[in-house]
Amino acid sequence: YTFYTAELTVGFVPDVLGGNRRQVESLAAQKDAQRFALEATYITLASNVVAAAIQEASVRAQIRATKEIITADEKALQILRDQFKLGFAMRIDVAAQEAALAQVETTLPPLQKQLEQTRDLIRALVGDLPNGPDETFELDALQLPPEVPVSLPSKLIEQRPDVRAAGAQLHAANAQVGVAVAAMLPQFSISGTLGGNADQIPWLFRTGGSFWSVIGGVTQPIFEGGTLLHTKRAASAALKQAAAQYQSTVIAAYQNVADTLHASLSDAEALAANVEAENSAKVTFDLTRRQMETGYVNYLTLLSAETAYQQALLTRVQAQATRYGDTIALFQALGGGWWNRKEVAAR
């Protein structure tokens, strides 16, 4: 005869001691750590793009200043040549001016190369090829923000994505300790079976042929060769490491903000001093050049004034670019404002 048996077995392991919950908690924390690492990458990318744009503007300003100096040197050289023809200047003065002009002209090609390389960097950062569309940046067109988003120290912990990522890693390490502890404790299980027996399929689940059973079980690891104990110790050590890493990240974040604020104040004062020095050097150079044209001063006096103005002009341009760079660094140190994006604010 033919005898049929149909059976369905369902098993369930209740999370009595929280091992599964801690594992899910650890995975969720790891997801948060990756999300904050991604936010940090976005902030770094944006800061690099802005820094490269400021660098391009600075190099353009240096090129423009160098060309102005070359034009002034050419005018001075022409004046000396005219005076040499009339016997009011010596040949050595003409040669010295020619050497000074050639020296300034040698500084122009490196600046032009730096400009093109900076533009290639900007295109690469925004995802374009080196022959992509051009977007020029001028130093005079840049402006500092009217207000700097200075935050309270307590807010810095929430705003810095690297601190949030380190906190999420600490959370994940803490949950892993719970997982290791739960693996050393008893595991509970429940299984149920529902089925039927009959010599004909239509009679499998009719009265007399059906059966069921419910079984509960408890398992306790007794001998695992020390693996569970050492797994717990490793998880505890990883938790201590994550805690130390979190503390180090928080301290480094506060140090970064403090250093950036000090740099902003110091570089602002330096920029003001450089602007004043440039204006003074420009006035001295213009007056000296007019005096040389009328024969009141010699060439060496003009060369000294010209060199001073050249150095003051280039120093001011570099100081202005540094001042803008400090503002970028401050925005980045304070977290970059990633929480203002619409999708993040909604979440």
Side-chain angles (χ1 to χ4, degrees):
Y1 61 92
T2 301
F3 190 74
Y4 299 97
T5 300
E7 180 178 324
L8 174 64
T9 301
V10 178
F12 174 63
V13 180
D15 190 23
V16 178
L17 301 178
N20 291 337
R21 291 195 300 272
R22 299 310 302 275
Q23 184 65 40
V24 172
E25 182 182 350
S26 175
L27 295 174
Q30 293 177 23
K31 179 203 69 174
D32 291 338
Q34 294 298 322
R35 180 168 65 89
F36 290 124
L38 179 61
E39 296 293 350
T41 302
Y42 284 147
I43 295 172
T44 302
L45 176 60
S47 300
N48 290 339
V49 171
V50 179
I54 292 177
Q55 179 65 23
E56 177 189 340
S58 173
V59 174
R60 285 185 182 277
Q62 293 180 53
I63 290 175
R64 188 181 301 109
T66 303
K67 289 182 178 180
E68 292 177 358
I69 293 172
I70 291 174
T71 301
D73 284 350
E74 290 175 345
K75 291 181 179 179
L77 178 59
Q78 185 60 43
I79 293 173
L80 278 175
R81 285 174 176 173
D82 294 340
Q83 291 180 350
F84 175 71
K85 291 179 181 179
L86 298 175
F88 294 104
M90 301 177 62
R91 181 66 182 88
I92 190 173
D93 294 336
V94 178
Q97 180 62 24
E98 291 174 347
L101 175 60
Q103 184 177 3
V104 175
E105 289 177 342
T106 58
T107 62
L108 190 58
L111 290 175
Q112 292 174 340
K113 181 182 73 172
Q114 184 179 2
L115 175 62
E116 294 302 326
Q117 290 178 346
T118 304
R119 293 191 57 75
D120 292 339
L121 174 61
I122 294 176
R123 295 187 186 102
L125 289 174
V126 300
D128 289 335
L129 296 175
N131 58 351
D134 290 336
E135 180 68 28
T136 59
F137 300 95
E138 298 291 344
L139 195 61
D140 295 337
L142 302 180
Q143 295 181 356
L144 291 174
E147 295 182 1
V148 178
V150 179
S151 303
L152 295 175
S154 58
K155 281 291 184 180
L156 184 63
I157 303 300
E158 298 180 4
Q159 295 173 355
R160 291 269 301 210
D162 56 342
V163 176
R164 297 288 296 272
Q169 292 172 354
L170 176 61
H171 188 184
N174 185 30
Q176 284 298 322
V177 174
V179 174
V181 171
M184 303 174 64
L185 300 177
Q187 304 294 320
F188 299 87
S189 63
I190 301 175
S191 62
T193 303
L194 176 64
N197 297 317
D199 56 357
Q200 296 181 12
I201 293 178
W203 288 82
L204 282 174
F205 299 100
R206 294 188 180 184
T207 303
S210 61
F211 64 87
W212 62 271
S213 65
V214 177
I215 301 174
V218 179
T219 59
Q220 169 64 50
I222 297 177
F223 180 75
E224 295 288 342
T227 57
L228 297 179
L229 176 61
H230 289 293
T231 299
K232 177 183 175 296
R233 290 177 178 175
S236 299
L239 175 60
K240 293 180 180 178
Q241 179 184 7
Q245 182 63 40
Y246 177 75
Q247 181 182 10
S248 175
T249 303
V250 172
I251 294 175
Y254 283 117
Q255 179 186 2
N256 185 206
V257 174
D259 291 345
T260 306
L261 288 174
H262 291 314
S264 297
L265 295 175
S266 177
D267 291 338
E269 296 175 355
L271 176 59
N274 287 323
V275 170
E276 184 177 355
E278 179 197 2
N279 294 333
S280 300
K282 181 67 167 57
V283 172
T284 302
F285 174 64
D286 291 339
L287 293 176
T288 305
R289 184 174 58 185
R290 293 176 184 175
Q291 290 177 345
M292 194 198 76
E293 292 176 358
T294 57
Y296 284 101
V297 297
N298 57 17
Y299 163 72
L300 295 177
T301 304
L302 176 64
L303 182 59
S304 177
E306 179 184 359
T307 303
Y309 170 61
Q310 172 186 354
Q311 187 61 40
L313 180 59
L314 295 178
T315 302
R316 191 269 304 167
V317 170
Q318 295 170 356
Q320 190 173 2
T322 302
R323 182 68 183 88
Y324 289 142
D326 291 337
T327 305
I328 301 172
L330 182 59
F331 271 92
Q332 185 176 6
L334 294 175
W338 57 272
W339 56 89
N340 293 321
R341 293 208 313 270
K342 293 182 179 180
E343 61 272 17
V344 176
R347 184 167 61 245

